[in-house]
Amino acid sequence: MYNEIDLDKIDIAAEPPTEEPARQYYFMAKCREWVKSFEQENGRLPKSCVLNFGCQMNARDSEKLRGILREIGYEEASEEQADFVIFNTCTVRENANTRVYGRLGQLKPQKKKNPHMMIGLCGCMMQEPEVVEKLKKSYRFVDIIFGTHNIFKFAELVATRLESDRMVIDIWKDTDQIVEDLPNERKYTFKSGINIMFGCNNFCSYCIVPYVRGRERSRDPRAIVREIERLAADGVSEVMLLGQNVNSYGKTLDTPLTFAQLLQEIEKIEGIRRIRFMTSHPKDLSDELIRVMADSKKICKHLHLPVQSGSTDILTKMNRRYTKEQYLNLVDKLRRAVPDISLTTDIIVGFPGETEEDFEETLDVVRKVRYDSAFTFIYSKRTGTPAAVMEDQIPEDVIKNRFDKLLKEVQAIAAETCAIHEGTVQEVLVEDICDHDPTMVTGRLSNNLLVHFHGGKELIGKYVDVELSECRGFYYIGARR
Ligand code: SAH
Ligand code: SF4
Ligand code: F3S
């Protein structure tokens, strides 16, 4: 177990071990020696900054990188002050991708000024061979490039870079390996994301994730439970179980276990008060899971259930494997079993071949389900996916028009559904001091809505009963009860 390792006792003069994670502990110890000499030379510790550009899984990976950097001896700092900047990239849509090149360009002068400076790039974008080619050609000042399958090797890659002057590139096409027991640096003391599975096998026709995250692999349930028990002992009371398609958890394990069964195991863990998960794929959401959610005291009354489109024709072309009617039936079933559940979704506008009628079907689903909120995306063509070569790509102005119309509808409905809790008293987990008013704190309801109310930082991480006095569109102003 990681907590029990003393890095200073590792013999770095010996050959590195071949098994994991021992090998990485060895390289962490090695980098630590380098940090000591840096400190002697410069009179200070080196500073690092890890920035993530993607989803919650990407954010979780960044925490692992920060954990490794902390063990090596780096201090955290802002991007401008850091000696080592790591961009953990996303490539789900083209704009996520473009932002990274922009930010990299801005880092170049900073690197020129700071002789110690290193730049690392990792994450989903690095799994695209064209991206790595471009970096090798036009961004020679990058020091370390690695992908999504080998982030556990970060310490080893840093050690390699420190020993040579060359750009270190290590990208794996796929893996079946899951390395446990590496360090971790949580953003919050009281809540944490936990990977329960990696990769995706669904191949929705627009989506690049299966190509950059590899095949679906579930973590051993004992490792998950052990990690959560440890987190609970360390003060964590809310967990977010992470996977691209949590509803298919466990199918590939030697002793198969369903996601609903895993949830029941986690429910038993003392100290855990709230359980969240994402993302659920409608095609795999079982009756068993609905039953477990309805019976649970800890599973939050919130489900993110991406619909993507309301048109069965488009859903077929997207390879989502459900129809509009099946989706709406599922929503009915959920609402019957868990009446106060809050539903949120993802919607893509302008998928190839989307007609005005198809778009109307999407609006129809939005009006029928009445989501608490929805993330709306303009379809982005991802090279290598089946949708990228489909006929009838939709012109930009048509998409923009539909997008604006959808957003208006989604927002109007969300404001109404959000307001129904006005006047009730609910339990809030306080997360932070309010961004706009330092005399207030911000917390979340079980259904994921934000609430701001008067209070100080001693409340952070605590559960407080709050009266939801006033709904302001997508959040509440409340008062302690
Ligand atoms: N695994 C999750 C979602 C991962 S990506 C799921 O299946 O729901 C998050 C969201 O990005 C998706 O739900 C989808 O709405 C959006 N998305 C994915 N690929 C996209 C693309 N090519 N263009 C626009 N949006 C996309
Ligand atoms: Fe992409 Fe579909 Fe997998 Fe989600 S389920 S990550 S949208 S392929
Ligand atoms: Fe982006 Fe990779 Fe997540 S492409 S959305 S960071 S899985």
Side-chain angles (χ1 to χ4, degrees), residues 240-301:
M240 166 74 97
L241 312 177
L242 299 172
Q244 291 299 350
N245 177 14
V246 292
N247 304 123
S248 74
Y249 171 83
K251 287 185 180 154
T252 51
L253 289 170
D254 291 341
T255 329
L257 184 85
T258 63
F259 179 55
Q261 287 168 327
L262 176 73
L263 281 172
Q264 285 170 296
E265 287 308 308
I266 296 171
E267 175 112 16
K268 290 182 204 150
I269 300 173
E270 218 175 300
I272 297 299
R273 284 177 66 164
R274 282 184 175 181
I275 305 170
R276 302 183 186 278
F277 49 85
M278 74 187 307
T279 306
S280 285
H281 194 304
K283 80 175 163 62
D284 296 311
L285 200 141
S286 66
D287 290 348
E288 184 197 18
L289 176 64
I290 297 178
R291 228 175 16 250
V292 168
M293 286 182 78
D295 292 342
S296 168
K297 297 253 178 326
K298 297 184 177 176
I299 300 174
C300 287
K301 306 280 179 224

Side-chain angles (χ1 to χ4, degrees), residues 42 48 51 62 64 66-67 107 116 132 136 141 162 165 172 219 266 274 295 305 327 384 400 417 439:
N42 300 282
S48 66
L51 293 169
S62 293
K64 296 177 186 170
R66 288 190 198 104
L107 271 187
H116 306 297
V132 177
K136 278 201 318 215
F141 58 97
L162 291 173
D165 269 342
W172 298 2
R219 263 178 90 192
I266 296 171
R274 282 184 175 181
D295 292 342
L305 194 63
Y327 184 89
K400 185 75 183 64
T417 40
T439 67

Side-chain angles (χ1 to χ4, degrees), residues 92-93 206 244 279 306 308 320 346 348 377-378 380 382:
V92 75
R93 286 169 291 274
Y206 51 83
Q244 291 299 350
T279 306
Q308 313 299 0
R320 289 290 288 180
D346 292 346
I348 298 177
F377 303 109
I378 286 178
S380 170
R382 305 315 287 130

Side-chain angles (χ1 to χ4, degrees), residues 41 98 132 161 197 251 308 316 351 356:
E41 247 171 66
T98 323
V132 177
R161 177 65 185 89
M197 58 206 295
K251 287 185 180 154
Q308 313 299 0
T316 309
F351 184 83
E356 218 40 54

Side-chain angles (χ1 to χ4, degrees), residues 267-481:
E267 175 112 16
K268 290 182 204 150
I269 300 173
E270 218 175 300
I272 297 299
R273 284 177 66 164
R274 282 184 175 181
I275 305 170
R276 302 183 186 278
F277 49 85
M278 74 187 307
T279 306
S280 285
H281 194 304
K283 80 175 163 62
D284 296 311
L285 200 141
S286 66
D287 290 348
E288 184 197 18
L289 176 64
I290 297 178
R291 228 175 16 250
V292 168
M293 286 182 78
D295 292 342
S296 168
K297 297 253 178 326
K298 297 184 177 176
I299 300 174
C300 287
K301 306 280 179 224
H302 169 224
L303 187 70
H304 186 64
L305 194 63
V307 64
Q308 313 299 0
S309 166
S311 149
T312 297
D313 268 359
I314 294 296
L315 287 169
T316 309
K317 288 187 189 145
M318 286 178 161
N319 192 31
R320 289 290 288 180
R321 285 171 278 175
Y322 52 85
T323 63
K324 176 188 182 188
E325 288 67 34
Q326 283 168 334
Y327 184 89
L328 290 174
N329 282 338
L330 189 59
V331 168
D332 273 350
K333 238 190 315 190
L334 274 159
R335 288 238 160 94
R336 257 181 280 130
V338 193
D340 45 352
I341 195 165
S342 131
L343 293 174
T344 57
T345 201
D346 292 346
I347 301 170
I348 298 177
V349 181
F351 184 83
E354 184 186 74
T355 62
E356 218 40 54
E357 291 72 40
D358 292 320
F359 176 65
E360 283 299 324
E361 299 270 17
T362 300
L363 287 177
D364 187 46
V365 168
V366 166
R367 288 178 192 131
K368 288 201 164 105
V369 178
R370 301 186 57 79
Y371 295 105
D372 289 69
S373 80
F375 296 100
T376 49
F377 303 109
I378 286 178
Y379 167 72
S380 170
K381 194 173 173 174
R382 305 315 287 130
T383 310
T385 62
V389 290
M390 282 183 189
E391 284 171 10
D392 285 336
Q393 302 279 333
I394 311 293
E396 243 171 72
D397 55 329
V398 177
I399 299 191
K400 185 75 183 64
N401 230 314
R402 289 180 191 165
F403 183 82
D404 291 345
K405 211 164 150 186
L406 175 68
L407 195 64
K408 247 201 208 143
E409 191 78 39
V410 158
Q411 287 181 341
I413 294 174
E416 285 173 24
T417 40
C418 172
I420 62 169
H421 308 284
E422 213 166 70
T424 62
V425 175
Q426 296 197 30
E427 193 177 62
V428 172
L429 170 56
V430 181
E431 299 199 337
D432 233 322
I433 295 291
C434 178
D435 279 344
H436 308 294
D437 182 348
T439 67
M440 296 180 99
V441 289
T442 300
R444 256 173 225 280
L445 301 176
S446 161
N447 70 12
N448 215 28
L449 277 176
L450 285 177
V451 185
H452 308 292
F453 63 97
H454 279 288
K457 64 174 187 312
E458 70 285 354
L459 292 178
I460 294 175
K462 302 241 158 59
Y463 291 81
V464 181
D465 283 333
V466 175
E467 180 175 331
L468 307 179
S469 328
E470 189 195 340
C471 178
R472 298 236 180 117
F474 309 101
Y475 64 90
Y476 274 97
I477 300 295
R480 260 185 104 169
R481 273 291 129 142

